[in-house]
Amino acid sequence: MSAFFISIYHFFSSRRWLLFAFIVCLFAVFGVLASKVSYEEDITRFVPTTADSKNVASVFGHLKVKDKVMVLFTPADSNATSEDMVPIADRFAAELDSVLGKTHIQKITSDVGNGQVASYPDFIYTHLPLYLDSADYRHIDTLLLPAKMAAKMEWNNDQLMMPTGMFMKDYIVRDPLGLGLKQMAKLQELQVEGSYQMVDDHLATADGSILLFVAPRYPANNTVENGILVDTIEGLIDRYAALYPNCNIGFYGGPVISVYNARQIFTDMMTTMGFALLLISVVIFFAFKNKLSFIHIVLPVAFGGLFALAVLYFLRGSLSIIAVGAGSAILGVLLSYSIHVVAHRENCSNMEQLIDEMWQPLTIGSFTTIGAFFSLTFTKSEVLQDFGWFASLSIIGATVFCLLFLPHLLQIGEKYVVSDKPSRLLEWVEKFTSIDFSRKKWLVAVIVLTSLAGLALSNRVSFSSDLNALGYQPEKFNRAQALLDSTFQKGSKSVYFIAVADSANDAILQYEAMSQSLASLKQKGDVRQFSSAHSLLVDTATQQRRLKLWNDYW
């Protein structure tokens, strides 16, 4: 195998122009392909991917409630009231809509008044035949009795004469006998328990905070576009803090947390890699006399990273930015290969000897490391798969560069050697590694005792199962989250159940069975409350049967 690498070395030795042209072309091609890779910041990709989880991810991806941003306007002192917050919220909504309404915002909801509520009865009465069963028609028979009709008309008249009659007029005119009242009651099944109230047609929390709902045009994982929305909201909040000192404004939502997670991941990745490169630069500066040693050591790493991203562009198209950030840990592994070659050059009389002595340690060592990382590609977690692919391909690229191209660069850089003597740092390292530690009985005893202690304490280690800990959430959002949780969840956590089937009709049937199971759990006390639309979703067979009953009856 060494003859193969040496023959390639001899081929390029007499064609240096071709060597450099080839290296430049490879970097250019890999760089262009790497730039086309799209990155995702979705932390749920940590979760193992199965057939069921794909269905959940698909439904969750279309769940619009998770993409909303909620802005809270809270009275800052006892002199301010919820009513004072309403015009501030309306002005904030209008100004935000004027800035981003056409580009980044789909809808802003501040007024949840009677207009939206009135649309629900319209739906029931439009599809009333689909919700009436045999028992309902027996009830209608009693309503059509003259005495019952007279009593009902008298009751309607009394209701219209009362001060609240103006609110009842539309319902009474539309359904004077109350044929759909039983079906209207089914709308209560959609109601979610919560400590909220209405203030001037605006939704308010128990502490008097007015809520504003912003629906972005882009999904939560589009952190670039949503970042513009978040920055704009924060800018308005800062300006309103000076304009309205009696109002504290906060905001929260899935898109907001996604933006901050993406920014924190990028910051952590750049900080980690920057610190690693700084530390490595210092070590290289004191360890090697060649001025080009830093370039010789870093180039294989850069080549390996670009090679990995270029190949992954064809294999996967997109990568988790979390996996790439964690890939900074591979930096040390890749650098060890190039440092090994550069350091070993001082012990070889020529490049042929260097290649002959290095090809086996590099290839065998890289194969074992590649195999370890490549095993991650067989896991069900997409993030671990991305990390396994990126790490494995990076090591392959760096190893190939060290064997094929680095010897030529080392030969060219020999004229930049400052001194033939090894540095003090390398002398110290060689002196330290020459110590026979097996003769140090005290050291052996320490290692054995430490190992036994680690073995005894290993079963006490616990692992967190809280997926919320995977993400990053700034402290300033904790209050808004706590207030929203206390308002809409009262200390409990919401769980979404979905029904998946090959057809809509089968999904409705599964949905109904699932709702019955939840009702049973609620009776047992295992579920405090659940919201379901099963009574409003009617399968095809039931629709046809009920339509026939309607037509036959009338």
Side-chain angles (χ1 to χ4, degrees):
M1 194 69 175
S2 63
F4 170 74
F5 292 113
I6 292 175
S7 65
I8 295 178
Y9 170 77
H10 287 157
F11 174 80
F12 281 119
S13 293
S14 57
R15 301 172 180 84
R16 288 287 171 79
W17 63 272
L18 180 61
L19 169 71
F20 288 111
F22 188 49
I23 294 175
V24 171
C25 287
L26 287 178
F27 268 100
V29 171
F30 292 160
V32 170
L33 294 175
S35 65
K36 294 183 178 181
V37 176
S38 60
Y39 299 96
E40 299 178 3
E41 299 89 2
D42 187 4
I43 63 172
T44 60
R45 295 186 67 184
F46 267 111
V47 180
T49 303
T50 61
D52 291 337
S53 66
K54 287 182 179 179
N55 289 331
V56 173
S58 176
V59 174
F60 188 74
H62 292 84
L63 192 64
K64 297 301 181 182
V65 67
K66 71 176 178 59
D67 291 335
K68 290 187 181 297
V69 176
M70 287 155 282
V71 187
L72 297 94
F73 300 82
T74 307
D77 51 56
S78 57
N79 296 324
T81 63
S82 299
E83 288 76 8
D84 297 331
M85 301 297 104
V86 171
I88 301 175
D90 289 340
R91 179 180 175 182
F92 188 97
E95 192 165 349
L96 181 61
D97 185 64
S98 66
V99 177
L100 296 178
K102 296 181 179 180
T103 57
H104 292 77
I105 297 176
Q106 185 175 8
K107 183 181 180 182
I108 299 178
T109 304
S110 58
D111 188 334
V112 288
N114 296 326
Q116 296 186 35
V117 176
S119 64
Y120 303 140
D122 289 341
F123 178 84
I124 291 293
Y125 281 106
T126 301
H127 303 88
L128 184 61
L130 302 180
Y131 299 115
L132 297 178
D133 217 329
S134 301
D136 297 309
Y137 289 104
R138 289 193 294 270
H139 178 65
I140 293 175
D141 287 337
T142 62
L143 294 177
L144 294 178
L145 295 173
K148 286 283 187 179
M149 292 181 64
K152 184 64 176 178
M153 293 302 105
E154 184 177 353
W155 184 87
N156 289 339
N157 183 68
D158 293 340
Q159 293 298 316
L160 292 173
M161 298 301 295
M162 295 177 65
T164 57
M166 59 180 298
F167 302 105
M168 298 290 293
K169 177 182 176 181
D170 292 338
Y171 293 99
I172 293 175
V173 171
R174 187 172 205 172
D175 185 11
L177 293 180
L179 301 181
L181 291 180
K182 180 180 177 182
Q183 283 63 39
M184 287 285 294
K186 295 178 180 180
L187 292 174
Q188 296 180 354
E189 297 177 3
L190 299 174
Q191 185 176 354
V192 179
E193 182 183 13
S195 302
Y196 55 88
Q197 55 188 338
M198 298 296 295
V199 177
D200 294 340
D201 290 337
H202 289 67
L203 197 64
T205 62
D207 72 338
S209 298
I210 299 298
L211 290 174
L212 180 72
F213 299 91
V214 180
R217 289 186 180 273
Y218 301 95
N221 58 4
N222 191 337
T223 55
V224 176
E225 297 297 338
N226 286 330
I228 299 174
L229 173 62
V230 170
D231 292 338
T232 303
I233 292 177
E234 289 182 333
L236 285 175
I237 290 176
D238 292 339
R239 191 158 61 84
Y240 273 55
L243 292 175
Y244 303 101
N246 63 332
C247 176
N248 291 327
I249 306 177
F251 69 117
Y252 185 78
V256 180
I257 301 303
S258 295
V259 168
Y260 272 88
N261 266 280
R263 291 175 177 176
Q264 190 63 39
I265 289 171
F266 181 79
T267 301
D268 291 345
M269 182 178 66
M270 297 305 296
T271 302
T272 302
M273 296 186 69
F275 179 77
L277 287 175
L278 177 62
L279 182 62
I280 291 165
S281 301
V282 173
V283 173
I284 293 173
F285 177 80
F286 287 104
F288 299 99
K289 297 296 184 179
N290 193 322
K291 297 179 181 179
L292 299 181
S293 293
F294 180 79
I295 297 177
H296 293 157
I297 292 173
V298 172
L299 271 181
V301 178
F303 183 86
L306 291 177
F307 170 76
L309 293 175
V311 174
L312 288 171
Y313 169 71
F314 293 105
L315 292 179
R316 300 179 74 83
S318 63
L319 274 177
S320 169
I321 191 67
I322 302 174
V324 178
S328 60
I330 307 301
L331 190 64
V333 178
L334 301 180
L335 286 170
S336 66
Y337 293 127
S338 53
I339 290 175
H340 195 179
V341 175
V342 173
H344 194 70
R345 172 66 186 97
E346 299 182 3
N347 300 320
C348 299
S349 58
N350 52 57
M351 293 301 167
E352 288 82 356
Q353 181 186 356
L354 175 66
I355 296 173
D356 183 61
E357 295 181 0
M358 290 302 303
W359 78 266
Q360 196 168 14
L362 283 180
T363 54
I364 295 177
S366 64
F367 285 158
T368 56
T369 309
I370 291 169
F373 284 114
F374 189 73
S375 63
L376 295 176
T377 62
F378 297 101
T379 63
K380 297 295 184 180
S381 171
E382 292 186 7
V383 170
L384 294 180
Q385 291 175 8
D386 289 346
F387 178 68
W389 278 111
F390 180 74
S392 302
L393 293 171
S394 296
I395 295 173
I396 292 174
T399 303
V400 170
F401 192 93
C402 286
L403 290 173
L404 298 184
F405 306 130
L406 189 55
H408 296 279
L409 300 179
L410 290 174
Q411 190 176 37
I412 296 171
E414 287 181 345
K415 60 182 179 180
Y416 295 96
V417 176
V418 179
S419 174
D420 294 333
K421 296 181 179 180
S423 65
R424 292 184 179 179
L425 179 59
L426 285 181
E427 288 181 344
W428 182 86
V429 171
E430 291 178 358
K431 183 178 179 180
F432 179 78
T433 55
S434 64
I435 300 174
D436 187 359
F437 291 102
S438 63
R439 297 181 179 275
K440 307 292 184 180
K441 295 182 179 180
W442 64 270
L443 182 59
V444 174
V446 169
I447 294 175
V448 171
L449 291 175
T450 304
S451 301
L452 292 175
L455 182 63
L457 298 174
S458 60
N459 60 348
R460 299 185 182 181
V461 177
S462 60
F463 298 93
S464 174
S465 58
D466 184 11
L467 290 179
N468 293 323
L470 292 176
Y472 164 74
Q473 179 168 301
E475 185 68 25
K476 63 180 181 180
F477 295 124
N478 290 341
R479 177 192 170 275
Q481 182 188 20
L483 180 59
L484 292 172
D485 286 346
S486 63
T487 300
F488 296 105
Q489 300 186 30
K490 290 189 174 181
S492 300
K493 292 298 181 182
S494 297
V495 179
Y496 294 95
F497 289 86
I498 60 175
V500 180
D502 295 331
S503 66
N505 189 65
D506 292 340
I508 290 175
L509 292 173
Q510 290 189 21
Y511 186 80
E512 182 177 1
M514 181 176 61
S515 298
Q516 293 174 356
S517 299
L518 289 174
S520 176
L521 291 174
K522 182 179 179 181
Q523 290 180 349
K524 295 178 181 179
D526 296 331
V527 174
R528 191 177 73 181
Q529 187 212 13
F530 73 95
S531 175
S532 173
H534 76 280
S535 59
L536 302 178
L537 299 174
V538 184
D539 62 274
T540 304
T542 304
Q543 288 184 33
Q544 294 174 351
R545 179 175 58 81
R546 291 178 177 178
L547 282 174
K548 187 177 184 304
L549 284 175
W550 175 271
N551 294 327
D552 293 343
Y553 186 84
W554 298 107

